[in-house]
Amino acid sequence: MNPYRKPSAPRLLAVAGVVATAVLSLSACGKADASSKSASPAESKTAAALPSVKLVPARAVRAAPREEVTGTLFPAQALQVGFEVGGRLAVVKVGKGAAVKKGDVLGQLDVEISDAQVAQAEAAVAAAEAGATMAADVAARNATLQKEGGVSDLQNRSSSATAAQAQAQLLAAKAQLAQARAARRRHDLKAPFAGTLIDAPEQTGATVGPGTPLFTLEHLDTLLLKTTVAESLRGRLKPGTKVRVEAIGSAGVFTQDAVVRTVLPSADPATRRVPVELAVPNADGRFVAHTLARAVLPLGEDQDAQVVPGTALSSSNGDHVWVVSTAGEVSRVDVRVLERREREVVVLASPALESVIDYPTPSLAQGSRVTVK
């Protein structure tokens, strides 16, 4: 066989086909590798763009439905008092902050003119009594003489009328004396009930008119917390129920012995909420009148509930929390708040919560994907 013989045409064609196939295969593999290499950074970029959230567990507890309300503490009794008569303020018996009993004298007006009026009225009564006595004696004597024929019937009736007139004048004089003595008593201003003097004149000598408020007296042993609740809760509040009340702005000032005193059957026309009054015991003076306080109103029996951090609760468009599914999707779960604590809230949720997103951002939406830290 000749080594320099040219290969046949069919053989050349076959070799060329094999080479072309190999080149196409290498080209396809190169494109596939390039495609796979370009997809990885994109996927990484997508994963990095997902927001990251922190999950906190929910804790199961037993709790009763409650409503937290705020209101103002008012004295159980409060009154601005002044003299019923006018005059010059002569004496202030007690100063601001003093505790007084019912009937204690708070202040006095100058009594010089009043005492003179009483003396004048007493003199008028004495004169009327003398005149009435004399008229009565004349009438009695004429009645006897008229029976014996010594005086006429006309004279007898005239003396009797004079005696009756003198008696009427005596009664009028006694009435004027009683009025003068009453006016004298009203120169002493007395406390209408036991309490603490919140305001009082700091100097004497001023001329005051009838009814001008001079002293402010408040009974602070019991305070009234006035607040309101939604109309739907009115039927669940019962007078006599014990309530926890704590002062706002004064740490550690609270009582568990406050009592629902009144649930009014008429709503406030401005807010459409039902006014409620709570009696708050304050014999030790722990609460300060005219300050704000918070009350937790019990509205039912204990039931299964869950505790979540207060930072996990959102209140926009209703109270709710956010949870994350196993697929990394966010879901909103509406909850009912039973109690708000210092850093936690007790909620009712259906279904029960396992974990919730802490510090949810406003950008979270139903079905959005997130990553968990």
Side-chain angles (χ1 to χ4, degrees):
M1 184 176 64
N2 187 359
Y4 301 102
R5 189 179 60 180
K6 294 182 179 179
S8 61
R11 188 172 182 176
L12 290 173
L13 292 174
V15 172
V18 172
V19 173
T21 303
V23 171
L24 291 174
S25 298
L26 290 174
S27 177
C29 291
K31 291 180 180 180
D33 290 341
S35 176
S36 63
K37 289 179 181 179
S38 62
S40 295
E43 291 178 356
S44 300
K45 186 176 181 180
T46 302
L50 294 178
S52 178
V53 297
K54 177 184 177 182
L55 294 181
V56 291
R59 187 173 78 252
V61 294
R62 294 279 295 175
R66 300 182 181 185
E67 178 75 6
E68 185 177 291
V69 294
T70 59
T72 302
L73 290 167
F74 292 94
Q77 290 179 289
L79 188 64
Q80 289 184 319
V81 294
F83 293 94
E84 295 182 43
V85 296
R88 181 175 60 85
L89 183 62
V91 180
V92 176
K93 290 285 190 179
V94 289
K96 297 179 182 179
V100 298
K101 298 178 181 180
K102 182 178 180 180
D104 286 352
V105 177
L106 306 179
Q108 292 177 324
L109 296 178
D110 184 84
V111 297
E112 182 178 1
I113 296 178
S114 180
D115 285 346
Q117 291 172 342
V118 171
Q120 183 180 9
E122 289 175 343
V125 168
E129 285 179 342
T133 300
M134 292 178 60
D137 289 344
V138 171
R141 185 174 64 253
N142 286 345
T144 301
L145 293 175
Q146 195 270 336
K147 291 179 181 178
E148 297 174 354
V151 296
S152 66
D153 184 60
L154 178 60
Q155 288 177 319
N156 181 41
R157 288 200 304 269
S158 178
S159 60
S160 297
T162 301
Q165 184 178 7
Q167 185 64 33
Q169 290 175 347
L170 174 60
L171 293 177
K174 288 182 176 180
Q176 290 178 351
L177 175 59
Q179 186 177 4
R181 287 174 175 172
R184 170 61 183 83
R185 288 194 300 270
R186 279 157 178 74
H187 280 59
D188 295 339
L189 182 60
K190 297 181 179 180
F193 54 84
T196 302
L197 206 59
I198 304 302
D199 195 13
E202 296 183 353
Q203 61 184 11
T204 60
T207 301
V208 298
T212 303
L214 296 177
F215 298 83
T216 300
L217 184 63
E218 294 181 351
H219 179 73
L220 303 176
D221 286 351
T222 301
L223 301 180
L224 291 181
L225 176 59
K226 296 186 178 182
T227 184
T228 61
V229 298
E231 182 183 357
S232 59
L233 303 180
R234 174 176 171 263
R236 300 162 68 179
L237 278 177
K238 304 298 181 184
T241 304
K242 284 195 172 184
V243 177
R244 174 187 170 90
V245 172
E246 60 182 20
I248 296 177
S250 299
V253 178
F254 69 93
T255 180
Q256 301 282 4
D257 297 324
V259 176
V260 177
R261 193 183 79 161
T262 307
V263 181
L264 297 181
S266 176
D268 184 279
T271 63
R272 309 300 180 188
R273 291 172 63 86
V274 176
V276 176
E277 293 183 357
L278 310 177
V280 182
N282 192 43
D284 56 1
R286 70 179 71 178
F287 291 97
V288 179
H290 305 290
T291 60
L292 296 178
R294 180 186 299 110
V296 180
L297 305 176
L299 302 174
E301 301 296 331
D302 286 350
Q303 54 187 300
D304 291 330
Q306 292 176 291
V307 177
V308 298
T311 52
L313 180 68
S314 299
S315 298
S316 178
N317 298 323
D319 293 329
H320 62 278
V321 295
W322 295 94
V323 299
V324 180
S325 67
T326 55
E329 294 184 351
V330 172
S331 298
R332 167 177 165 153
V333 177
D334 292 329
V335 297
R336 175 184 168 195
V337 178
L338 298 184
E339 180 182 353
R340 297 180 189 269
R341 300 175 180 175
E342 183 176 356
R343 297 183 179 180
E344 299 176 323
V345 289
V346 182
V347 299
L348 289 178
S350 181
L353 303 170
E354 294 183 1
S355 60
V356 296
I357 297 177
D358 200 10
Y359 293 99
T361 62
S363 61
L364 290 179
Q366 185 75 17
S368 61
R369 296 179 61 81
V370 296
T371 59
V372 179
K373 293 181 181 179

